[in-house]
Amino acid sequence: MILEVLVYPHKLLRESSKDVVHFDAQLHALLDDMYETMVIKEGIGLAAIQVAVPLNVLVINLVDEEGVQKRETLYEIINPVILEKDGSTIYQEGCLSVPGYYDEIERAEHIKIAYYDRHGNRCEAEFTDLMSIAVQHEMDHLKGRLFIEKLSYLKRKKFEKEWKKKQKAR
Ligand code: Y12
Ligand code: CO
C-alpha cells in the first residue's frame, strides 16, 4: 500500500519516535508499505515518522552503479543506535518531506550502528559514503529533526522565504 508522505512543516515531523517492541506482522506490513512508498516516490530513504508512524523504523535502498534500485540491497533498520562515528563529509541532501529542496550538509564520514532486523535479530553494521549519510539523515527523522535544521541561519531564512512563496503558488 502506498502511504502519504508528510511534507514540511507538518508538526508530526518534529516528533520523537519510540522503539519497536513487537516484531510482528503489523511491523512487517509497515516495512513493506514504507518500501513501496519510497520506491514509487523515487526516494532512497524513508523514516516511519514521514508516513505518520512514530516508531524507530527506517528503510534505505540506494541505487547501484547502473542506477537500478534492487530490493536485495534494501536495508530495514529498526531501533538504531550509533556506536561510533568519525570523520566528516559534505553531501547535497534531499528529503521526500521537503520536495524540491537540496543543500549541502555536513555529517560524519563513517558510522557504526547497532539495530534490529524485522525479525528482532540484533545486528551491527558499519557504513561510509552515501549509506552513512543516508542512515544519519534518516536517524535524524527519528529524533524529529530535518536536514534543513542544519543549514546556516542565512540559508535557513532564504529557504523559509522560498518555501512560503512556493506553498502560496500551489
Ligand atoms: C543522501 C542524502 C539524503 C538521503 C535521504 C533520503 N532522501 C531521499 O530519498 C530524497 C528523495 C527525493 C525524491 C524526490 O522525487 C524525485 O526526484 C522524483 C524529490 O522530489 C523533488 O525534488 C520534487 C525530493 C527528494 C539519502 C542519501
Ligand atoms: Co528525509
Side-chain angles (χ1 to χ4, degrees), residues 41-45 91 93-96 99-100 102 130 133-134 137-138:
K41 306 276 183 190
E42 299 184 32
I44 54 171
Y91 191 81
E93 295 191 15
C95 178
L96 285 173
Y102 302 85
L130 192 54
I133 294 162
H137 175 112
E138 301 308 332

Side-chain angles (χ1 to χ4, degrees), residues 16 20 23 30 53 59-60 87 97 134 138 157 163:
S16 279
V20 169
F23 292 79
L30 170 66
V53 178
V59 292
I60 295 173
S97 293
E138 301 308 332
K157 263 186 90 165
W163 195 256

Side-chain angles (χ1 to χ4, degrees), residues 44 61-73 130:
I44 54 171
N61 198 8
L62 301 187
V63 295
D64 66 16
E65 308 85 56
E66 280 110 50
V68 183
Q69 203 171 26
K70 294 201 185 97
R71 194 170 179 145
E72 305 95 80
T73 60
L130 192 54

